[in-house]
Every structure is written in C-alpha cells, then in structure tokens.
Amino acid sequence: MTNTTIKTMAALAAGMMLLLSAPASAAQRQMERLGRGVVAVRQDTGAVFVGWRLLGTDPDAVAFNLYRRSESGKAPVKLNKAPIADVTSFVDSTAKPDAPNMYFVRPVLNGKEQAASAPFTLPANAPAKPFLSVPLQTPDGYTPGDGSVGDLDGDGEYEIIVHQTGRGRDNSQNGETDPPILEAYKLNGARLWRINLGKNIRQGAHYTQFLVYDFDGDGRAEMVCKTADGTVDGQGKVIGNPAADHRNESGRILAGPEFLTVFDGRTGKALATTDYIPARHPTTPNPTGDELKAVWGDGYGNRGDRFLACVAYLDGVRPSIVMCRGYYTRTVLAAWNWRNGKLTNVWTFDSDDRSKPGNAAYAGQGNHNLSVGDVDGDGKDEIVYGGMTVDDNGQGLYSTGLGHGDAMHLSDLDPTRPGLEVFRIQERFDDAGAHLFDARTGQVLWKKPSVSAGGDGEGPGRGLALDIDPRYPGFECWVAGAGIRGLFDVKGNRIAETAPTCNMGVYWDGDLLSEILSGTTIDKWDYANAKSVPLLSAGEHGCASNNGTKANPVLSADILGDWREEVIWRSADNKELRIFTTTIPTRHRFYTFMHDPIYRLGIAWQNVAYNQPPHTGFYVGPGMKKPPRPSIATTPATRAAADR
C-alpha cells in the first residue's frame, strides 16, 4: 500500500467522521420565541427614538413599517415612506409631546405586511430621559443586586429577576447574614413572586448563583438555584425543615442538607427539589473542619462554598443546567436536565475522581466566573471554567495549568484565526498575569507576566477584552494593575501606554466598536488621544452601581429595541430599576444578540459571582463579516395571554 493510498484512506475516514458529526453540528438549538421588543424614548430634542428587534429567525429580506397611534379611535399613522430595511430604529420628529404615542411595527416580506407587533406606549408629556422605570417592592434593609431576564409568562417579552441582597459576608469572613431573596418583575413593575432562600443559605457573591432559562421548552422560563431547609417558594411553601437552623457560632453554614430546586417562572412555585451535587463531603453529612479541609483545602467553608452555575446545550439542541462547586482546589461540575417534569443528573465531573487520574490536572484552575460555548465545533457546548474546559460529555477537554483568575472573556477575539479565543488573567504574580489561549485546544498564544509592587499579594484582579480601536484587527486586551501596563492588541503587542477603566463593556453609540461600562458611566475610548470620553452618566439620573468596588450594573443585555444593549441600574434609594436604552441612531442592523447562542448563555451566567460582560460568538468590529445565521428553532408559542 502506497503512502498516497494511506493518505487517501485517512482523508476518507476523516470525511466519514465529519459526516457522522454533521447531525449534531446542523441541529437547531431550542431558544425562546421573542416578540419585537418595541421601545420608545424621548430625546433631548423632543423627537422620539423608536427601536425594535430583528430576530435570528427572520429572513434576510425582511423590512418593517413603523406605525404610531396618538389618539384613541383614530387609525394609526405609518411613519416611514418606504419599508425600513437597513436598520431597526427610527427617529420620530412629528410626535406630539402632550399626547400618548403608541408605536408598533409590522414586518414586510415580498411587499406584504405581516402581523403587528405588541405596541409600546410613550405616555403623554413623557420627559426626555434615556431610561424606563420599573418600580420595586424592595424589602427593608435590602438592596437590588444582580439580575437576569427570561420570558417567564410566554408572551415573547422579558421579565426581570433580581437578587435582593441584605447584610452579606464574603466566604473568608465570619458572621451571620440576611437571607437572600429573589424576586420577579414585569417591566411595568408588577411583581410576579418572591422567593426567600432562608437563613440556611448565606448571603454573598459566591453562594447564590441563579439561572433563568426555558429548560423544558414549554415557552416559559424557569428559575433554578441552590436551596436549603427553610427556603420559601413563591407560593409560600417551605422546602425542607422550616425549623432547622444550621448556622454555627461563627455564622457559617457547614452542616445540614443542600438542595437544588427548579422553580416555575410564572409563579415561583417549587417544581422539583433534589440533593445538590456535590455534597460538602463525599460520605459525611455533617463533616468536621478537618474532614472539610481534606476535601477542599480549608475547614471553615471558604473554598468549599464557592459556587458557579451556567446553562449549556450539551446535546446541541436542548439546554441543560450545570451547577458547580469549588475552583481553588477541588472542582466539581454537575449537569442536570429539567424535562417532562423531571430533574435528572446527566453527568458529574470531579477533579478528585480517582477513577480518572487525568482529572487531577483540572484542580485549582477555576475562576470567579465561567463561560459557555461550542469551542470544538461539534455543535455542542463546552464549559470554559477558567484555565480548564469541560467537554459536553462531562470529560475534561484540556487544562492550561495556569491556575485561578478573576476575569475571563470568550469570543472570536481574533478574527484572523479560526475559532474562538479566551482572554484571561492569572491572580498571582507569575508569567501569565494576562494571557490569550485557543478555546479549542487550550494552547497559550501569548502571555504577559504580572509583577508585585510590594502592596498587593494576589496579582491582577481584573482584565478586559473589547474591540475599542479600529486600527488593529480584533479585540484589545488590558489588565488593572499588577505591573501589566497599557493596552494590547489581540496579538499581544502593546499599542498604548494607557488603557481605559477595566470593568465591563457595552454596545451603545451605534458604531461597531464597544464602549466602556463601569460604575454608572458609559465612556467612549478616544483611541487617537488615548483617553475616555463620557457618553452617559446614570449617576446623574439617580442611579447607583452594585457589588462594591466591582461597580457592576444589575444587568447589561440586549433586552429591548435594536441590537444594542440596555443597561439596568438600581436607583440610589433602592425603590426601582432603571433600564437605560440608547437614543443614538445607528447605520447597522443585526439580529438581536439574544438569538446568538454564546451571547444568550452569557446573559444567563452574568449574575454568577464576579460579573463579566457578555460577548457574541462571532466577531463584531470594523471589517467584520456578516454574522452567521444562528441555527435555532424558537419554542412554541404559549397560551400565556389566555392563562392571564
């Protein structure tokens, strides 16, 4: 047999493998059916900026007619002369300010109008302000914290789920906390439910990671989180033993059962509860401090009570729940399905699983956050868990061995390379304080050492990757402190001596570059002069940020209007959420980022531990290619309206 024959047979075998994997790659992901998300905001000029959604399932040729009705009983007025085909926004300069103005759109296909969208009404004499107000019923002594969104009632529009935070403690601190509270609100401020997790769940950034997603495909999202004895669901029913108090003399909770509960998104009713995986100790229900230390590295609930969570399409078609524990030492990820009214464990990955000696390389590689995406191109999702990645089947894909970090970004950061990349920081003084690696293989493409200045004993605590400079292809990367100075291009070359604030990003002003989101401000990076230029100050509108020095909003996501993102901040008096939406025209049209799988899953994990900004699975920036059409199938329409 000749070498040519061998190569030909190998090529045929490889082709067969591709054919065998084709069904998974070509499968359509089950995603939420969204409406048009029409929103109208009055500009400073008095004109009204109106935006709406292009869906991931829309044909390329779809255009829109925009209508306004100002007086009840009168026919609506079409505002555009020709169907709007290049953007999904419009500036209405003829709206009367002293009358309510109701806006809706009709898609146009092959010259024929389709069904009208749900309307949005801008009240009469609405002031020129770039936000919508959502009144809250915040409990006394509590503050609205991290949030998420999901279509809880099946009407095609999002509701907001907010973590109300009382007195909290970091894992490293002793002391009792207030019970964490989760609440769901419609955008008009109507509260759907309140869930009190009870005194046996500690309050803090690392304890309560909640997921909001339609896991069973019925058109309505569920909410999933860790629960315990005394958790009260949205219908007032208590989970476990209502009288149990597992807090010790230090205010820590190191004993008692731990549960995982699926809640109904409309009512907050507990639908199913099971034991949380993994338990604090493999064999002992109430372990001693020494037993905890042997498993997690300390005996007081610091490392062992670090939780993460995410949503992943492990079969490429339907979403699964992934609940996690640990990242400094032992690391465990447990995948679950909620289908047909049953909660079942799919697989569990454990770095301490001695039946799989290779798993030991995955210990101590986790972040205070995680990301999810199909990094190997098989149509199924992997979990990028800091410096390690777990495959869709629950097996380790690779470990970089670079250890723990605080920040991480997964996307097509470098459009000149195939596939996805990860930018990440290493929270210690070592040679990979900032680094970029291939998301498929874990190959480190470049790294920058972090250097102690004598005061900080941990290394860099923040790192950010956004496309903010059009002169260099791909995302720019930078780090806060630790001797890693300046702004780097995606190849690792320093391109500026200074960098913007290192926090989050947002698409706001209408071009293809990202803006800087930090605290209550949105800035534009002036790359020519290496300085930030303010675009929006939510502080001037009475807003405050969350999570102390982390200075995050409640949520940043594309939940309304065109493809650009909204930012939700709490009011400083904690009485409402304020949803800020851009009023700046744009020349670009994209389908809603919420129909891009990596972005949508990023919204599901944004509230987890140390918040990170979401990214699309395709490159967005100057010179970008047309975004790929997402291979999705939206869930069936529900009878939400009739049910109400």
Side-chain angles (χ1 to χ4, degrees):
M1 187 178 294
T2 66
N3 288 338
T4 301
T5 303
I6 293 173
K7 290 179 180 179
T8 301
M9 293 180 66
L12 289 170
M16 287 299 296
M17 291 300 293
L18 287 173
L19 288 172
L20 289 171
S21 66
S25 300
Q28 290 185 310
R29 292 178 179 231
Q30 169 189 293
M31 295 187 76
E32 57 207 340
R33 181 184 296 272
L34 295 174
R36 293 296 171 185
V38 178
V39 64
V41 178
R42 192 172 297 281
Q43 297 175 320
D44 291 338
T45 62
V48 178
F49 183 88
V50 186
W52 61 92
R53 286 190 194 104
L54 180 70
L55 303 174
T57 52
D58 280 330
D60 289 343
V62 71
F64 296 90
N65 287 331
L66 173 64
Y67 291 86
R68 182 191 70 217
R69 187 198 301 272
S70 299
E71 297 182 45
S72 178
K74 289 194 173 183
V77 176
K78 188 172 74 169
L79 298 178
N80 51 291
K81 293 180 180 179
I84 303 169
D86 54 347
V87 294
T88 52
S89 59
F90 187 90
V91 177
D92 178 12
S93 58
T94 63
K96 296 179 180 180
D98 57 352
N101 292 290
M102 184 187 75
Y103 295 91
F104 63 91
V105 295
R106 287 182 178 272
V108 180
L109 275 173
N110 300 319
K112 296 182 179 180
E113 281 195 332
Q114 310 298 306
S117 71
F120 179 94
T121 300
L122 186 66
N125 301 310
K129 61 179 185 180
F131 63 88
L132 311 178
S133 296
V134 181
L136 299 177
Q137 300 175 44
T138 303
D140 290 342
Y142 279 71
T143 298
D146 291 336
S148 192
V149 291
D151 182 6
L152 301 180
D153 57 11
D155 66 354
E157 301 300 336
Y158 286 118
E159 283 74 47
I160 299 175
I161 300 83
V162 61
H163 179 177
Q164 298 277 15
T165 64
R167 175 185 49 170
R169 300 282 185 180
D170 186 76
N171 294 55
S172 62
Q173 300 170 343
N174 290 332
E176 292 186 358
T177 72
D178 292 323
I181 291 174
L182 296 166
E183 294 182 328
Y185 290 89
K186 293 191 70 65
L187 297 190
N188 63 8
R191 195 180 77 188
L192 299 181
W193 44 258
R194 172 182 287 172
I195 294 169
N196 188 320
L197 295 181
K199 57 179 168 286
N200 292 310
I201 296 287
R202 220 166 177 240
Q203 174 63 60
H206 305 290
Y207 297 105
T208 296
Q209 322 303 347
F210 64 98
L211 300 175
V212 181
Y213 215 81
D214 181 7
F215 290 105
D216 60 3
D218 68 351
R220 306 184 185 101
E222 292 78 41
M223 194 279 288
V224 181
C225 69
K226 182 174 176 285
T227 58
D229 281 338
T231 293
V232 182
D233 77 2
Q235 300 296 294
K237 182 179 179 181
V238 179
I239 294 172
N241 180 358
D245 186 346
H246 300 296
R247 295 172 294 183
N248 65 19
E249 65 279 1
S250 299
R252 296 180 177 274
I253 303 161
L254 305 180
E258 299 174 290
F259 306 127
L260 177 66
T261 301
V262 178
F263 296 91
D264 185 281
R266 289 179 300 167
T267 66
K269 177 183 178 181
L271 299 176
T273 295
T274 190
D275 290 338
Y276 191 89
I277 296 176
R280 294 186 185 91
H281 192 273
T283 58
T284 307
N286 298 312
T288 66
D290 287 342
E291 288 171 323
L292 284 174
K293 186 174 182 179
V295 175
W296 300 106
D298 65 65
Y300 62 98
N302 184 359
R303 293 169 177 82
D305 276 4
R306 304 274 179 159
F307 299 96
L308 299 178
C310 64
V311 180
Y313 287 74
L314 301 174
D315 63 3
V317 178
R318 303 181 71 179
S320 297
I321 302 157
V322 182
M323 306 302 290
C324 317
R325 188 175 208 150
Y327 41 74
Y328 288 135
T329 52
R330 182 189 181 201
T331 293
V332 185
L333 291 75
W336 301 83
N337 285 341
W338 170 247
R339 298 173 188 174
N340 302 316
K342 294 183 179 180
L343 183 62
T344 55
N345 180 225
V346 181
W347 51 251
T348 300
F349 172 89
D350 189 344
S351 64
D352 275 10
D353 186 347
R354 296 179 182 178
S355 69
K356 300 173 182 176
N359 282 15
Y362 293 79
Q365 300 301 311
N367 268 37
H368 291 296
N369 33 65
L370 76 181
S371 194
V372 180
D374 176 16
V375 304
D376 58 8
D378 65 355
K380 305 174 185 179
D381 283 335
E382 285 71 46
I383 298 95
V384 183
Y385 201 81
M388 54 168 275
T389 294
V390 175
D391 208 347
D392 55 82
N393 59 5
Q395 304 297 312
L397 187 63
Y398 61 79
S399 174
T400 66
L402 295 177
H404 167 72
D406 276 18
M408 179 176 65
H409 305 271
L410 168 71
S411 183
D412 186 7
L413 305 179
D414 185 350
T416 68
R417 297 184 74 257
L420 306 173
E421 294 80 31
V422 177
F423 175 69
R424 183 172 172 267
I425 59 175
Q426 178 189 40
E427 198 188 16
R428 67 176 190 266
F429 297 116
D430 211 329
D431 68 337
H435 54 275
L436 189 85
F437 63 86
D438 185 290
R440 177 193 290 263
T441 65
Q443 176 191 2
V444 177
L445 303 173
W446 56 261
K447 53 187 178 180
K448 307 294 177 184
S450 52
V451 181
S452 174
D456 187 346
E458 291 188 333
R462 293 185 186 178
L464 190 54
L466 305 169
D467 192 358
I468 58 173
D469 191 332
R471 299 172 297 182
Y472 305 90
F475 280 43
E476 283 67 54
C477 307
W478 65 103
V479 171
I484 306 175
R485 177 176 47 84
L487 186 65
F488 299 89
D489 68 12
V490 79
K491 301 297 186 182
N493 303 302
R494 183 181 287 111
I495 59 174
E497 293 298 313
T498 59
T501 300
C502 195
N503 199 344
M504 298 180 74
V506 62
Y507 291 105
W508 189 261
D509 72 352
D511 65 16
L512 297 179
L513 297 173
S514 181
E515 282 66 62
I516 311 300
L517 170 61
S518 183
T520 55
T521 64
I522 296 175
D523 294 336
K524 185 72 173 179
W525 180 244
D526 177 357
Y527 54 86
N529 296 297
K531 66 178 184 179
S532 293
V533 178
L535 296 182
L536 173 76
S537 172
E540 295 177 357
H541 296 279
C543 294
S545 61
N546 289 336
N547 301 320
T549 60
K550 299 293 183 289
N552 301 123
V554 171
L555 184 72
S556 174
D558 177 19
I559 63 171
L560 292 168
D562 66 20
W563 57 275
R564 289 169 294 173
E565 295 163 296
E566 282 63 50
V567 184
I568 305 175
W569 281 285
R570 64 180 173 93
S571 61
D573 62 7
N574 299 324
K575 293 183 178 180
E576 65 181 52
L577 299 179
R578 292 175 177 164
I579 306 174
F580 284 73
T581 187
T582 187
T583 62
I584 303 172
T586 180
R587 297 184 296 107
H588 303 285
R589 182 174 103 154
F590 299 122
Y591 59 80
T592 174
F593 287 167
M594 296 297 260
H595 273 168
D596 173 67
I598 286 182
Y599 184 94
R600 182 62 186 92
L601 297 180
I603 301 307
W605 55 243
Q606 190 180 140
N607 72 80
V608 170
Y610 292 173
N611 309 51
Q612 299 289 284
H615 299 289
T616 57
F618 54 88
Y619 171 66
V620 177
M624 66 178 290
K625 298 177 181 178
K626 182 180 178 180
R629 177 173 292 277
S631 181
I632 62 173
T634 55
T635 52
T638 70
R639 297 184 58 196
D643 291 342
R644 291 195 298 273

